[in-house]
Amino acid sequence: MLRHFPQINVAHSHRKRDYVIAAFTFFCVAICMTFEVSGSVGRQYALGVIALVSLIGFLLGENKEVRMQVVVAVAFTTIGEYVASVYMGGYTYRFENVPAYVPLGHGMVYLTSIALARSGLFIKYARTIATTVIVVCGAWSIWGISGFAEQGDSGGAVLFCAFLVCLFKGRSPLVYLAAFFITTWLEILGTAAGAWKWADVDPVFGLSQGNPPSGVAVWYCLVDAVALSGGPLLSRGLKHVSEWYISGVSLPRPVERVSALLDFRGDKREDFRAQILLTSQAISMSLKNQDLVVEPLDKT
């Protein structure tokens, strides 16, 4: 069950950089909430610029793999913000928009989760930290459905259960644990300051949800899954585009572009072309019109 957790007594090292990233993000979240709630949309854009510069600065010290993951995470969370907040109304920001600092802030939060997950502190005390998170978040979820909470949180309890599944079955449990700390910090500060407010009822399942929901960190489990899968694809795609640009040759044919993007080689490429050929012939025969015959692909 804990196969993705680090082994007990495994060697670990403390890199100052990891703790600097975490401390910077936790500090900036507090400062951002202080300046945001008393400002205009223009101030949100200013905070967005600061978030962009900060994210780029920290990514310069990361390897290519982490950079690609963070880029995918920013893109995915940006879409998620507009769908979950603006379109569905699961939570609402002060100006009923998506503040400029939010998408880039997601990038900083995800990078912080990665930094803490690889830190010596989390590697050494992984099981202790996991136990602490389960107890704290579990108590929070129980309180939300106990009837004593001012705002019911059945949705948060469901999210907490999903978080447990990700924690014990997912590929990056330490990232999820780190995400719990930073997301809990920003959610409590943000909702307390009035920067945003969660709807009383979840718009998807109709469950009550707290302000904020107790299991909100589970969304970063999804972000991590998308980033881990999309990062290598983005890196490979950029590599092919770069190679094509440097070569100076004309654009490849459509089939060749798909083949290059997916990195098909050898028999896989031939199988793909064969399927295209069979499809072409089937369409031609069904139409029974010589003027509409699709020419087979040139296999040379």
Short mmCIF file of all heavy atoms in Angstrom, two decimals, residues 24-34 109 182 185-187 189-190 196:
data_model
loop_
_atom_site.label_atom_id
_atom_site.label_comp_id
_atom_site.label_asym_id
_atom_site.label_seq_id
_atom_site.Cartn_x
_atom_site.Cartn_y
_atom_site.Cartn_z
N PHE A 24 9.20 30.92 0.43
CA PHE A 24 8.81 32.04 -0.43
C PHE A 24 7.33 31.96 -0.79
O PHE A 24 6.62 32.97 -0.72
CB PHE A 24 9.67 32.04 -1.70
CG PHE A 24 9.33 33.14 -2.67
CD1 PHE A 24 9.88 34.41 -2.51
CD2 PHE A 24 8.46 32.91 -3.72
CE1 PHE A 24 9.56 35.43 -3.40
CE2 PHE A 24 8.14 33.93 -4.62
CZ PHE A 24 8.70 35.19 -4.45
N THR A 25 6.86 30.78 -1.16
CA THR A 25 5.46 30.63 -1.57
C THR A 25 4.51 30.84 -0.40
O THR A 25 3.51 31.55 -0.52
CB THR A 25 5.24 29.23 -2.17
OG1 THR A 25 6.13 29.03 -3.27
CG2 THR A 25 3.80 29.10 -2.68
N PHE A 26 4.82 30.25 0.76
CA PHE A 26 3.97 30.44 1.92
C PHE A 26 3.90 31.93 2.31
O PHE A 26 2.83 32.44 2.64
CB PHE A 26 4.49 29.62 3.11
CG PHE A 26 4.01 28.20 3.11
CD1 PHE A 26 4.68 27.21 2.39
CD2 PHE A 26 2.89 27.83 3.83
CE1 PHE A 26 4.25 25.90 2.39
CE2 PHE A 26 2.44 26.52 3.85
CZ PHE A 26 3.12 25.55 3.12
N PHE A 27 5.04 32.60 2.26
CA PHE A 27 5.09 34.02 2.61
C PHE A 27 4.31 34.85 1.60
O PHE A 27 3.52 35.74 1.98
CB PHE A 27 6.54 34.47 2.68
CG PHE A 27 6.71 35.94 2.91
CD1 PHE A 27 6.49 36.49 4.18
CD2 PHE A 27 7.08 36.79 1.88
CE1 PHE A 27 6.63 37.86 4.40
CE2 PHE A 27 7.23 38.16 2.09
CZ PHE A 27 7.00 38.69 3.36
N CYS A 28 4.51 34.57 0.31
CA CYS A 28 3.86 35.36 -0.73
C CYS A 28 2.34 35.18 -0.73
O CYS A 28 1.60 36.10 -1.08
CB CYS A 28 4.42 35.00 -2.10
SG CYS A 28 6.07 35.70 -2.39
N VAL A 29 1.88 33.99 -0.37
CA VAL A 29 0.43 33.77 -0.28
C VAL A 29 -0.17 34.72 0.75
O VAL A 29 -1.21 35.36 0.51
CB VAL A 29 0.13 32.31 0.10
CG1 VAL A 29 -1.34 32.16 0.55
CG2 VAL A 29 0.40 31.38 -1.09
N ALA A 30 0.47 34.84 1.89
CA ALA A 30 -0.03 35.74 2.94
C ALA A 30 0.01 37.19 2.49
O ALA A 30 -0.96 37.94 2.68
CB ALA A 30 0.79 35.55 4.21
N ILE A 31 1.11 37.60 1.87
CA ILE A 31 1.23 38.98 1.39
C ILE A 31 0.22 39.26 0.29
O ILE A 31 -0.42 40.32 0.25
CB ILE A 31 2.65 39.25 0.88
CG1 ILE A 31 3.66 39.12 2.03
CG2 ILE A 31 2.75 40.62 0.23
CD1 ILE A 31 3.43 40.10 3.16
N CYS A 32 0.06 38.30 -0.62
CA CYS A 32 -0.86 38.45 -1.75
C CYS A 32 -2.29 38.66 -1.26
O CYS A 32 -3.02 39.52 -1.76
CB CYS A 32 -0.78 37.24 -2.67
SG CYS A 32 -1.85 37.33 -4.12
N MET A 33 -2.71 37.88 -0.27
CA MET A 33 -4.06 38.03 0.25
C MET A 33 -4.27 39.38 0.91
O MET A 33 -5.32 40.00 0.81
CB MET A 33 -4.35 36.91 1.26
CG MET A 33 -4.42 35.51 0.66
SD MET A 33 -5.66 35.33 -0.65
CE MET A 33 -4.64 35.49 -2.14
N THR A 34 -3.22 39.88 1.55
CA THR A 34 -3.31 41.19 2.22
C THR A 34 -3.49 42.31 1.21
O THR A 34 -4.33 43.21 1.39
CB THR A 34 -2.04 41.45 3.04
OG1 THR A 34 -1.88 40.42 4.02
CG2 THR A 34 -2.13 42.80 3.74
N VAL A 109 2.43 26.97 -6.51
CA VAL A 109 1.95 25.98 -5.54
C VAL A 109 2.42 24.58 -5.95
O VAL A 109 2.88 23.80 -5.11
CB VAL A 109 0.42 26.04 -5.42
CG1 VAL A 109 -0.11 24.84 -4.63
CG2 VAL A 109 -0.01 27.33 -4.74
N ILE A 182 0.24 23.46 1.60
CA ILE A 182 0.20 24.76 0.92
C ILE A 182 -1.22 25.13 0.50
O ILE A 182 -1.61 26.30 0.60
CB ILE A 182 1.17 24.77 -0.30
CG1 ILE A 182 1.18 26.15 -0.96
CG2 ILE A 182 0.83 23.68 -1.28
CD1 ILE A 182 1.63 27.28 -0.07
N TRP A 185 -3.16 26.22 3.60
CA TRP A 185 -2.70 27.55 3.98
C TRP A 185 -3.36 28.64 3.12
O TRP A 185 -3.94 29.61 3.63
CB TRP A 185 -1.19 27.61 3.86
CG TRP A 185 -0.55 28.95 4.06
CD1 TRP A 185 0.03 29.74 3.09
CD2 TRP A 185 -0.36 29.67 5.29
NE1 TRP A 185 0.55 30.89 3.64
CE2 TRP A 185 0.31 30.87 4.99
CE3 TRP A 185 -0.71 29.40 6.62
CZ2 TRP A 185 0.65 31.81 5.96
CZ3 TRP A 185 -0.38 30.34 7.59
CH2 TRP A 185 0.29 31.53 7.26
N LEU A 186 -3.31 28.46 1.80
CA LEU A 186 -3.85 29.51 0.92
C LEU A 186 -5.37 29.55 0.95
O LEU A 186 -5.97 30.63 0.83
CB LEU A 186 -3.32 29.34 -0.51
CG LEU A 186 -3.79 28.16 -1.36
CD1 LEU A 186 -5.08 28.50 -2.12
CD2 LEU A 186 -2.71 27.77 -2.38
N GLU A 187 -6.02 28.38 1.11
CA GLU A 187 -7.48 28.37 1.16
C GLU A 187 -8.01 29.04 2.42
O GLU A 187 -8.98 29.81 2.37
CB GLU A 187 -8.00 26.93 1.07
CG GLU A 187 -7.94 26.31 -0.31
CD GLU A 187 -8.93 26.93 -1.28
OE1 GLU A 187 -9.83 27.66 -0.83
OE2 GLU A 187 -8.80 26.70 -2.49
N LEU A 189 -6.44 31.31 4.30
CA LEU A 189 -6.16 32.73 4.23
C LEU A 189 -7.05 33.42 3.20
O LEU A 189 -7.59 34.51 3.44
CB LEU A 189 -4.69 32.97 3.89
CG LEU A 189 -3.66 32.63 4.97
CD1 LEU A 189 -2.26 33.02 4.50
CD2 LEU A 189 -3.98 33.33 6.28
N GLY A 190 -7.20 32.80 2.04
CA GLY A 190 -7.97 33.42 0.97
C GLY A 190 -9.44 33.57 1.29
O GLY A 190 -10.04 34.63 1.05
N TRP A 196 -11.97 35.01 -2.16
CA TRP A 196 -12.94 34.16 -2.86
C TRP A 196 -13.80 33.44 -1.83
O TRP A 196 -13.49 33.39 -0.65
CB TRP A 196 -12.23 33.15 -3.77
CG TRP A 196 -11.35 32.17 -3.06
CD1 TRP A 196 -11.72 31.00 -2.46
CD2 TRP A 196 -9.93 32.26 -2.87
NE1 TRP A 196 -10.63 30.36 -1.91
CE2 TRP A 196 -9.52 31.11 -2.14
CE3 TRP A 196 -8.98 33.20 -3.24
CZ2 TRP A 196 -8.19 30.90 -1.80
CZ3 TRP A 196 -7.66 32.99 -2.89
CH2 TRP A 196 -7.27 31.85 -2.18
#
